[in-house]
Amino acid sequence: MPTHGALTWLIPDAYLAAPADDDPVNKNHEAICVLNVTPDDANILLDFYFEDRPPVEGIAVVAPAKRCPHLRLDKPEQIGGFEIPFDVPYGVRLRSDVPIVVQYSRMYASGGRIDSLITTMAYPVE
């Protein structure tokens, strides 16, 4: 049976911008999309690395079997209660117990509109 994905993924350039306004729908945010095509839940540990402070490691999240959850990084309840600081560059390592595929997206929004959206595949570690 072929294996899709990798056990470890890196996102070197993450940055959660402070909200531009009070729009509850269109607001600055980041998301990590995890695709788990296996028949088993993916138990994932998130490790956050910063330029000027110690890392925050071992935050547990689950990507259910044969699902594709989107982890909103501006919502602490989706990432183990961890609050990512605004306007601080950081990187993320994801470690999973089953192969997964990881994509990272960042959206800037203001005045009720989306100003820009970037998305990229994370780097798989073999």
Side-chain angles (χ1 to χ4, degrees):
M1 178 165 72
T3 300
H4 302 289
L7 298 177
T8 302
W9 291 82
L10 302 174
I11 302 167
D13 180 26
Y15 185 87
L16 182 58
D21 54 36
D22 292 330
D23 184 338
V25 177
N26 293 316
K27 66 179 190 173
N28 297 338
H29 72 270
E30 297 175 292
I32 296 175
C33 177
V34 178
L35 176 60
N36 178 7
V37 299
T38 74
D40 302 306
D41 288 352
N43 297 293
I44 300 167
L45 295 176
L46 301 173
D47 303 320
F48 295 89
Y49 297 91
F50 303 92
E51 274 186 88
D52 60 352
R53 60 189 82 190
V56 176
E57 299 173 299
I59 295 174
V61 297
V62 175
K66 298 188 176 188
R67 296 290 186 265
C68 186
H70 291 69
L71 305 172
R72 283 276 301 263
L73 300 178
D74 61 315
K75 296 185 176 185
E77 65 274 12
Q78 292 188 12
I79 54 172
F82 178 56
E83 289 191 35
I84 295 172
F86 289 124
D87 301 324
V88 173
Y90 67 96
V92 185
R93 176 176 64 178
L94 292 87
R95 296 175 285 149
S96 177
D97 60 350
V98 299
I100 56 174
V101 175
V102 176
Q103 182 175 348
Y104 166 79
S105 299
R106 180 186 305 157
M107 186 178 84
Y108 292 112
S110 64
R113 69 177 192 280
I114 296 172
D115 294 325
S116 67
L117 174 69
I118 64 163
T119 188
T120 188
M121 296 302 296
Y123 178 79
V125 178
E126 300 283 331

